[in-house]
Amino acid sequence: MLDEPQRGLVAAFAATGRNHPYLALTLNSLCNLDCVFCKPRCMPDYGHKDRPLTARDYAAIAAEAGAWGIRKAHCSGGEPTLRADILDVIAGLAEGLGPGAAIGITSHGNLRRGLSVEQLHAAGLTYLNLSLHSLDPARSAAIMGGGDPGTTRRTLDTALALGLRVKINCVLQRTYLDDAFAVAQLARELPIAVRLIELQNIGPAQALFDAEFISEAEVRERLQEWFSGAGEVPRTLLGVRSPGRYLRPAGWAGSIGFISNSSCATCSDANRIKITPTGVARPCILHNRDIPLKPHLAEGTLGDAFAHLFQAMLDRDTNDAWQGFHYVDYDLRWDRMERPEGTPVLPLLPVLPTDAAGPSCSRASTGER
């Protein structure tokens, strides 16, 4: 049960008109693939030097979050399904958030031996985001450093058969643009949402950015035949809570959306409570009010931690470093990224010209990865 000040924070957040917060849990930094724009093994803390949160920790966090009205948790990595306890983590989140909660995971879909979509669903998974950048095995391997898109497709089909909602994440690269369009066309026959994601000029992708970046506006121009007369799909129907438009071309079973944090990013409706593998909670990447959860887990004071998180999200609107735009959307997998406590982590951002993003910008914000 929340006390009166805590209920006041929930009411104050609701009064902003923003979507209610949800948990964005990065479960690990490990991955058995090596995507060219991610390259996890090149990160200095690959594998985590510190003890990650346990399944019991996640269950406790979810139980507290449920008391604050949070009804969604999304798990990412690394490749979260590499965790030996992933079924326990999913089950703990589902139980903690309560009946009707949305529990999701982002995966490349090449599940390790002994793990199945059926098991994830039985543990409480309600939706699945799959990373798929090409349907051609050789070109997919060139992008992802391994894996089999055929296996990902079978994972997709199984998830749909079980009644899970499925979204596809496909990163746009100029060299592989036709591959992305082929992935997008899966939505012709399948009731899925394909999200075309702009390459971001951060981390390992910096080496590719100048040659490979292609904007949403240019892609929309190339796909204008698809989008002519397309109907908009409500985000609530898709289980998507970020801004940005999802369009269903005429006659298609599924939809296409964009995540465009390079050309037209905004965090005006950002509502993720990001939690790193070792339990550092980050309500906003611009206003640094990180809070380590492990002491609160040990002392039974998670209510105080969530009060801090809700207040930090409210305070973001008065933070001088926040002007409605940002140019990075760190997954925040890496616990060792230096972030001085209590101060903005980025300088003041320039105000963009009103036409800087181009007329086709859908104002897509931080996407659920």
Side-chain angles (χ1 to χ4, degrees):
M1 292 288 293
L2 302 185
D3 60 25
E4 185 173 347
Q6 291 170 339
R7 290 195 297 271
L9 281 174
V10 173
F13 190 91
T16 67
R18 279 190 259 150
N19 286 328
H20 201 69
Y22 73 95
L23 301 178
L25 307 167
T26 303
L27 301 188
N28 60 3
S29 66
L30 297 170
C31 189
N32 52 350
L33 299 185
D34 201 35
C35 292
V36 293
F37 35 77
C38 181
K39 296 251 174 229
R41 296 178 194 122
C42 79
M43 303 301 288
D45 68 335
Y46 181 73
H48 291 299
K49 277 66 175 179
D50 301 318
R51 182 176 63 83
L53 295 175
T54 66
R56 181 176 294 180
D57 293 333
Y58 286 116
I61 291 169
E64 181 62 38
W68 288 77
I70 292 173
R71 292 293 179 265
K72 177 179 177 180
H74 184 81
C75 303
S76 64
E79 173 54 43
T81 64
L82 293 181
R83 283 190 62 137
D85 62 353
I86 186 60
L87 296 176
D88 293 333
V89 171
I90 296 298
L93 294 173
E95 181 178 356
L97 294 186
I103 310 294
I105 198 167
T106 292
S107 170
H108 53 54
N110 286 246
L111 302 182
R112 58 177 167 80
R113 183 174 300 177
L115 182 66
S116 68
V117 183
E118 289 88 349
Q119 289 173 311
L120 291 167
H121 176 56
L125 197 74
T126 65
Y127 73 91
L128 179 63
N129 291 3
L130 291 170
S131 299
L132 182 61
H133 312 292
S134 175
L135 301 178
D136 179 84
R139 292 170 71 81
S140 176
I143 298 169
M144 302 184 72
D148 179 4
T151 300
T152 303
R153 175 59 197 271
R154 289 190 289 275
T155 298
L156 162 60
D157 291 338
T158 301
L160 289 176
L162 291 169
L164 296 177
R165 290 188 297 200
V166 177
K167 297 188 281 288
I168 300 293
N169 293 332
C170 181
V171 174
L172 294 164
Q173 295 184 81
R174 196 170 290 276
T175 297
Y176 298 99
L177 194 57
D178 287 341
D179 297 81
F181 293 166
V183 170
Q185 290 190 77
L186 290 175
R188 282 185 183 271
E189 305 297 333
L190 299 175
I192 60 176
V194 177
R195 292 106 66 79
L196 300 176
I197 303 171
E198 284 184 348
L199 195 67
Q200 290 184 268
N201 196 15
I202 58 173
Q206 290 176 302
L208 310 169
F209 190 81
D210 289 344
E212 294 292 349
F213 174 75
I214 182 167
S215 70
E216 174 189 335
E218 183 176 345
V219 172
R220 281 177 171 272
E221 181 67 25
R222 297 194 184 204
L223 298 180
Q224 57 181 321
E225 183 178 342
W226 291 3
F227 293 129
S228 177
E232 186 165 353
V233 182
R235 293 191 300 274
T236 52
L237 185 63
L238 296 171
V240 174
R241 299 174 73 171
S242 59
R245 301 175 66 201
Y246 286 76
L247 299 174
R248 175 174 290 137
W252 286 39
S255 63
I256 299 175
F258 289 87
I259 297 175
S260 304
N261 289 326
S262 291
S263 70
C264 51
T266 176
C267 52
S268 60
D269 196 37
N271 64 329
R272 294 190 289 182
I273 295 176
K274 307 176 186 183
I275 300 177
T276 72
T278 60
V280 178
R282 294 172 174 164
C284 179
I285 65 174
L286 290 184
H287 189 104
N288 183 43
R289 297 192 66 180
D290 296 357
I291 180 169
L293 297 183
K294 282 185 177 179
H296 292 282
L297 283 163
E299 297 167 14
T301 55
L302 278 175
D304 293 340
F306 272 83
H308 173 104
L309 292 166
F310 269 74
Q311 187 64 57
M313 285 186 287
L314 288 171
D315 289 348
R316 187 203 62 179
D317 291 337
T318 59
N319 174 23
D320 290 338
W322 181 80
Q323 297 178 14
F325 299 94
H326 67 79
Y327 303 103
V328 291
D329 177 27
Y330 293 113
D331 286 333
L332 299 178
R333 290 164 290 185
W334 320 116
D335 284 327
R336 295 179 179 274
M337 187 169 65
E338 290 189 12
R339 291 166 60 86
E341 293 185 8
T343 60
V345 296
L346 295 180
L348 291 178
L349 298 175
V351 177
L352 293 180
T354 56
D355 61 348
S360 298
C361 178
S362 67
R363 307 308 299 166
S365 90
T366 52
E368 301 154 301
R369 302 292 177 90

